[in-house]
Amino acid sequence: MSDVSDTVPVTPPSLWEIFREFLLIGAVSFGGGIVAYERLLLIDKRKWLTPDAFMATLAISQTLPGLNSVNLALLAGDRIRGFWGACCAAAGLMLPGGLFVLLAGVAYSQGEDHPILNILLAGVAAGATGLLASITYKIGDQHFRHFRSLAMIIATFVLMSVLKFSLITVLLIMVPIGLFLYRPRAHDQTESLTRNEEKSP
């Protein structure tokens, strides 16, 4: 596995480029689907992060308080251009959404019972759900092929969506199970040492 701290670009992008790209993401994405757009930008479109670096950044962002998408933008911007990169990424991402929520709040308060508005909001929710499903499959494609990972995914879904457990309760249940299932085993460590010895001159 490559070093997750490495980023792809040899020449870092300008602060304006970072702000502009995240501004575009903030303007065209809705709800949880924003993470899908961030992945497309950082890996596929601009190649600012490697897939491993993106996964590491996403994992860290999910452990921090606040929105995952904003945390991801901050951490990715910091990887790319340091402190000011983080500021530009976060500002660009939040600006369109902040303006949209402000305008939508005013419009909704003026006509909350209008049928067209309710249809529009339902469409936005459906689109965000589709984007989340797409990025979940793309990121976790390999995990869906392994029984342990699939069992963890299904168990987490049941606890959260069916039994309606709180996030803290689900973490307290699933984290120990995950640590036990994915604990290093003696033969794995032996194989790793053997490979390292074969690679060494």
Side-chain angles (χ1 to χ4, degrees), residues 27-167:
V28 301
S29 58
F30 297 93
I34 197 169
V35 175
Y37 282 99
E38 288 180 296
R39 186 185 190 282
L40 290 174
L41 165 69
L42 295 169
I43 297 178
D44 300 329
K45 181 182 177 182
R46 299 305 297 266
K47 303 187 186 303
W48 286 342
L49 294 181
T50 64
D52 284 343
F54 177 84
M55 288 299 298
T57 304
L58 178 61
I60 296 172
S61 71
Q62 292 173 332
T63 66
L64 300 175
L67 298 174
N68 288 341
S69 56
V70 177
N71 293 340
L72 180 59
L74 281 167
L75 294 171
D78 181 68
R79 280 179 177 269
I80 299 168
R81 283 296 303 267
F83 174 79
W84 291 113
C87 292
C88 290
L93 186 71
M94 292 187 293
L95 181 59
L99 292 176
F100 177 81
V101 169
L102 179 62
L103 295 175
V106 173
Y108 190 77
S109 65
Q110 299 298 320
E112 57 183 303
D113 296 324
H114 199 287
I116 294 180
L117 181 60
N118 292 325
I119 292 173
L120 177 63
L121 292 176
V124 170
T129 301
L131 284 170
L132 271 176
S134 173
I135 197 65
T136 298
Y137 176 78
K138 194 168 186 179
I139 292 177
D141 181 34
Q142 296 298 323
H143 294 286
F144 293 137
R145 304 176 186 180
H146 301 287
F147 175 76
R148 285 185 303 177
S149 299
L150 188 59
M152 290 283 293
I153 293 170
I154 294 174
T156 303
F157 174 80
V158 170
L159 292 174
M160 290 287 295
S161 301
V162 179
L163 301 180
K164 306 297 184 182
F165 285 9
S166 68
L167 177 60

Side-chain angles (χ1 to χ4, degrees), residues 1 3 6 9 13 19 38 40 72 95 114 143 181 195 200:
M1 181 179 292
D3 186 355
D6 292 337
F19 176 80
E38 288 180 296
L40 290 174
L72 180 59
L95 181 59
H114 199 287
H143 294 286
L181 291 177
R195 286 195 298 268
S200 60

Side-chain angles (χ1 to χ4, degrees), residues 173-195:
I173 294 173
M174 298 307 298
V175 167
I177 295 174
L179 291 174
F180 175 77
L181 291 177
Y182 292 96
R183 69 190 185 282
R185 290 177 169 80
H187 69 275
D188 293 334
Q189 295 177 348
T190 302
E191 290 177 1
S192 177
L193 290 172
T194 302
R195 286 195 298 268

